[in-house]
């Protein structure tokens, strides 16, 4: 089993240049049944699950193609849809802020020989961060098949563009 990452990523080295790769991807995308579940601009493309199959935990795949000295590199990053990701980042920020403020306030109160009630922020914040992490893990488990489907789309679109392995002589 792969370790849980908040926003899993992958890379694919490609032989053609970045602009050529994006032009090829856009051309190949035209005949696919999932063309409505994607959009691209410049060297970036986004792939997502169609509305009929989308759930709250459904993934969103952002792809960027970067120039390299030889060919290009496709970087893909899975995550929740942008509005869900914004909510999660807001919640992580609020809970993290409460945790840190609670820790600092509790420490100052303790060192000042006061009742350290500020530590309650720490007591509430750490489980809060654990709950957010657990929700993220659950969402990834529930959407694993959709993440695979999005990766299969990318693999199909870049088929034949991959960087050939270097031949070694015996």
């Amino acid at each position: 089993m792969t370790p849980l990452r908040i926003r899993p990523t992958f890379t694919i080295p490609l032989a053609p240049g970045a602009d050529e790769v994006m032009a090829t991807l856009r051309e190949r995308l035209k005949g696919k049944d999932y063309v409505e579940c994607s959009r691209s601009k410049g060297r970036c493309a986004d792939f997502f699950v169609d509305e009929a199959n989308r759930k709250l935990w459904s993934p969103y795949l952002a792809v960027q193609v970067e120039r390299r000295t030889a060919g290009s590199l496709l970087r893909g990053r899975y995550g929740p849809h942008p509005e869900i990701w914004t909510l999660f980042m807001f919640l992580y920020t609020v809970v993290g802020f409460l945790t840190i403020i609670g820790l600092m306030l509790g420490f100052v109160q303790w060192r000042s020989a006061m009742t350290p009630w500020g530590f309650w922020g720490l007591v509430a914040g750490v489980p809060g961060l654990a709950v957010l992490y657990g929700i993220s893990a659950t969402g990834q488990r529930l959407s694993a098949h959709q993440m695979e489907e999005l990766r299969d789309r990318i693999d199909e679109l870049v088929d034949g563009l991959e960087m050939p392995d270097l031949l070694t002589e015996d």
Side-chain angles (χ1 to χ4, degrees), residues 84-107:
I84 302 296
W85 180 246
T86 302
L87 174 66
F88 258 84
M89 291 291 47
F90 173 75
L91 291 175
Y92 270 116
T93 302
V94 168
V95 173
F97 181 76
L98 282 173
T99 304
I100 291 170
I101 293 299
L103 179 64
M104 290 189 318
L105 180 61
F107 181 75

Side-chain angles (χ1 to χ4, degrees), residues 131-152:
V131 165
L132 287 173
Y133 188 80
I135 291 170
S136 176
T138 302
Q140 282 187 35
R141 277 195 300 279
L142 291 172
S143 68
H145 67 285
Q146 292 176 331
M147 289 171 69
E148 253 182 60
E149 180 184 314
L150 293 176
R151 177 60 193 258
D152 291 343

Side-chain angles (χ1 to χ4, degrees), residues 1-5 137-138 140-141 144:
M1 184 173 174
T2 59
L4 177 70
R5 293 172 51 192
T138 302
Q140 282 187 35
R141 277 195 300 279

Side-chain angles (χ1 to χ4, degrees), residues 35-84:
V35 68
E36 298 298 320
C37 300
S38 63
R39 60 179 168 249
S40 69
K41 183 79 172 168
R43 292 193 188 129
C44 300
D46 298 322
F47 296 87
F48 41 91
V49 178
D50 64 327
E51 289 287 334
N53 296 319
R54 187 178 304 168
K55 307 283 187 226
L56 182 64
W57 55 81
S58 290
Y60 180 90
L61 176 60
V63 172
Q64 291 183 314
V65 180
E66 304 170 0
R67 287 185 186 161
R68 295 180 83 188
T69 53
S72 57
L73 183 69
L74 182 142
R75 290 185 188 274
R77 180 179 305 249
Y78 296 101
H81 278 264
E83 57 274 9
I84 302 296

